[in-house]
Amino acid sequence: MQTLVQMIYPPRCLSCGGLVETDFGICSACWPKTPFISGLSCDLCGTPLPGQSDRAEICDECLKTERPWTKGRAALEYKDQGRRLVLGLKHGDRQDIAKPAAKWMARVTRDLVQEDMIIVPIPLHLHRHLARRYNQSALLAEALAEELDLDWCPDALQRPKPTPSLDGKSREERFETVTGRITVSPDREELLKNRPVLIVDDVMTSGATLAAAAEACLANGSGQVFVSILARVAKDP
């Protein structure tokens, strides 16, 4: 039966749609254009760093910007096929990308796992959630929880009020727009207390949204907060 299914619906490249050997794979043409982050990276945001080091290193942006979370990881750079995959998941109804993306995230995030840790996604406001029909960060969080064998909660955080799009805004405007706009859901306050939290999102640009979410968790009495993102917008060195 599986052979018959594959004959009718052969596996396709997640990025370009070309034929591949296994489901959720990336073809040989797209693989070199998919900017997986490996080697030395910032211990707070996951952005790739030049050279090698035997200790944790911090990028210039994180040295200038205080992060309320303890450590962070990113699977991809937000460029080339990495950008295409993120946009497909976020705006193209490509929900099939979430599970393989979570495997990539698990590869770089596994060292952050703590006892009794819980995974929570960055929330969407209800209106945006209804318009998009799904929260891409929640899809990633669910799949990552399965990969790391951790608890997760899709609605631990909430956005009581809508926020305008952050596209095109400066770093300062991004932080001003989202500060205080993310809170712990009243029904989930006890769930997060004294537990390490892993916040999941699809893209990190300035880190403003992740900071608002981390501050909400900490204000509610959580344990340490960590972040795992699919793609990091990184400046060229």
Side-chain angles (χ1 to χ4, degrees):
M1 179 61 71
Q2 183 65 29
T3 301
L4 179 60
V5 170
Q6 289 187 343
M7 290 177 62
I8 300 173
Y9 303 105
R12 298 282 181 175
C13 173
L14 283 171
S15 184
C16 71
L19 294 175
V20 292
E21 294 183 359
T22 59
D23 289 328
F24 309 123
I26 296 178
C27 71
S28 58
C30 290
W31 185 267
K33 303 173 187 177
T34 306
F36 292 101
I37 295 176
S38 59
L40 185 64
S41 62
C42 175
D43 199 43
L44 281 173
C45 74
T47 194
L49 297 174
Q52 297 179 341
S53 178
D54 57 1
R55 59 177 183 146
E57 300 290 348
I58 307 299
C59 71
D60 290 344
E61 186 172 351
C62 287
L63 286 173
K64 293 184 295 184
T65 305
E66 185 177 356
R67 306 296 192 189
W69 60 85
T70 301
K71 293 184 178 183
R73 300 290 184 264
L76 302 169
E77 288 186 70
Y78 186 70
K79 65 180 184 180
D80 304 329
Q81 299 296 348
R83 181 175 183 273
R84 180 171 183 166
L85 288 166
V86 170
L87 291 178
L89 172 64
K90 190 169 187 174
H91 298 298
D93 201 19
R94 289 289 311 280
Q95 299 182 46
D96 58 302
I97 293 173
K99 285 194 173 183
K103 292 182 182 294
W104 307 333
M105 294 168 70
R107 176 181 60 84
V108 296
T109 305
R110 204 172 299 276
D111 69 314
L112 302 186
V113 172
Q114 308 284 311
E115 184 178 356
D116 199 33
M117 175 176 271
I118 185 168
I119 295 180
V120 302
I122 291 292
L124 294 176
H125 182 262
L126 178 60
H127 293 166
R128 186 166 294 177
H129 198 155
L130 291 174
R132 190 173 294 169
R133 298 184 297 106
Y134 63 93
N135 178 357
Q136 72 280 356
S137 297
L139 295 178
L140 292 170
E142 180 179 17
L144 183 60
E146 183 177 350
E147 289 291 327
L148 298 178
D149 193 26
L150 293 174
D151 292 340
W152 82 290
C153 182
D155 59 351
L157 300 176
Q158 63 178 5
R159 292 189 196 231
K161 297 180 180 180
T163 53
S165 172
L166 299 182
D167 292 344
K169 292 185 180 295
S170 68
R171 176 190 171 281
E172 291 74 18
E173 290 171 333
R174 286 172 176 265
F175 276 88
E176 183 178 352
T177 298
V178 300
T179 297
R181 293 298 188 97
I182 296 178
T183 62
V184 175
S185 302
D187 293 342
R188 305 301 187 189
E189 291 177 354
E190 291 302 319
L191 182 66
L192 300 188
K193 284 189 183 299
N194 302 313
R195 298 182 70 175
V197 176
L198 179 64
I199 300 175
V200 169
D201 202 6
D202 56 344
V203 180
M204 175 180 170
T205 303
S206 66
T209 302
L210 288 164
E215 288 166 354
C217 292
L218 292 168
N220 185 69
S222 74
Q224 288 183 312
V225 176
F226 303 81
V227 302
S228 179
I229 52 179
L230 174 55
R232 174 71 165 105
V233 177
K235 296 180 181 179
D236 293 330

